[in-house]
Amino acid sequence: MFNIILFGPPGSGKGTQSERLISKYGLKHLSTGDILRSEIAGQTQLGLEAKSFMDKGQLVPDEVVIGMISSALENNPKANGFLFDGFPRTQAQSEALDKLLQLKRTEIGVVLALEVSEEELVKRLLNRGLTSGRSDDNSEEIIRARIIEYHNKTSAVAGYYRQFNKVVSITGEGTVDEIFESLCSEIDKRMN
Ligand code: AP5
Ligand code: MG
């Protein structure tokens, strides 16, 4: 089993690259953002609670997303490995994930950290906001709030995994193909 965290700020390309990585490596994609948006679409209690945070560009409380990931791991007992996208986003989430994986007698193989300048992030998300229908993409103020939340709470996740030598930084600017090649080359070095 090989488990990957695809890490990076909002708009860095986690979702785009995840699609390609799961098909190449046969991993199960776990995106907390996608799961939360499907809860909102289904108008569940969890979705209603999460929406108020997401619309402001703030993180949803740890216990909510940790519970979601815990269920997703339980519901996929036969997975070859997981690709975590947008999770963990706080140190508490990182520690909880490590414990959940230990219970499955596995661990994180690598944290691939996409690096993209702030101006490029804002440009990409404003552009996607023209068509995505995502309520957190349609104003520059909310996009900037998401980036601030990333700096204040999420960037520490890389520090947490750095102590275990698991973090590799990847340039997240360039073509989607070029970035995919860089990601695959780091995975291939570690997968065997
Ligand atoms: P989430 O859904 O995770 O969103 P995000 O992290 O803000 O990032 P995005 O999905 O917007 O960007 P991405 O990195 O996936 O980039 P993408 O490939 O789409 O989270 C949303 C919200 O949910 C959070 O704000 C929070 O409220 C809540 N949440 C989720 N997880 C949580 C957690 N663990 N804890 C607490 N709260 C949580 O690309 C972006 C755009 O750029 C696209 O248009 C794409 O086509 C384009 N693009 C991609 N690659 C390139 C390239 N190389 N060159 C040019 N354009 C590119
Ligand atoms: Mg995404």
Side-chain angles (χ1 to χ4, degrees):
M1 205 172 183
F2 194 78
N3 306 297
I4 298 170
I5 295 174
L6 191 53
F7 185 75
S12 55
K14 302 183 297 291
T16 304
Q17 297 295 338
S18 289
E19 292 303 326
R20 297 178 165 221
L21 292 170
I22 55 164
S23 90
K24 173 159 179 174
Y25 295 103
L27 302 170
K28 173 73 188 166
H29 184 199
L30 293 182
S31 157
T32 39
D34 289 350
I35 301 170
L36 288 165
R37 281 183 290 276
S38 89
E39 295 280 343
I40 291 173
Q43 298 185 309
T44 65
Q45 184 61 33
L46 191 158
L48 288 175
E49 280 170 34
K51 189 174 182 340
S52 60
F53 294 95
M54 292 168 77
D55 283 351
K56 287 183 260 179
Q58 295 171 357
L59 293 188
V60 171
D62 284 337
E63 53 278 16
V64 174
V65 287
I66 291 168
M68 280 168 21
I69 287 289
S70 172
S71 320
L73 293 177
E74 268 179 39
N75 293 338
N76 289 282
K78 293 194 177 137
N80 286 329
F82 295 94
L83 175 58
F84 297 95
D85 159 2
F87 181 90
R89 261 173 147 104
T90 61
Q91 176 150 341
Q93 292 179 24
S94 311
E95 289 169 359
L97 177 62
D98 281 357
K99 289 202 184 107
L100 289 168
L101 292 176
Q102 259 169 32
L103 291 173
K104 293 178 82 75
R105 301 186 181 281
T106 183
E107 62 177 0
I108 293 298
V110 67
V111 179
L112 299 167
L114 293 168
E115 296 197 341
V116 177
S117 73
E118 182 155 339
E119 286 326 294
E120 172 72 10
L121 298 173
V122 173
K123 196 175 95 188
R124 287 184 189 178
L125 293 176
L126 281 172
N127 184 44
R128 189 179 64 187
L130 300 173
T131 53
S132 69
R134 268 178 66 165
S135 57
D136 58 351
D137 277 352
N138 61 19
S139 100
E140 181 163 344
E141 198 188 337
I142 297 168
I143 290 171
R144 295 222 182 250
R146 287 159 63 192
I147 296 172
I148 290 169
E149 193 82 331
Y150 170 82
H151 288 302
N152 288 344
K153 298 180 182 163
T154 304
S155 55
V157 167
Y160 172 80
Y161 285 104
R162 228 168 246 128
Q163 63 178 321
F164 308 115
N165 273 325
K166 289 189 175 176
V167 182
V168 182
S169 296
I170 304 277
T171 303
E173 293 187 46
T175 67
V176 171
D177 284 344
E178 283 164 353
I179 299 161
F180 181 64
E181 288 298 311
S182 312
L183 292 167
C184 292
S185 120
E186 294 299 336
I187 294 168
D188 293 342
K189 278 187 217 164
R190 289 168 177 79
M191 216 171 181
N192 300 323

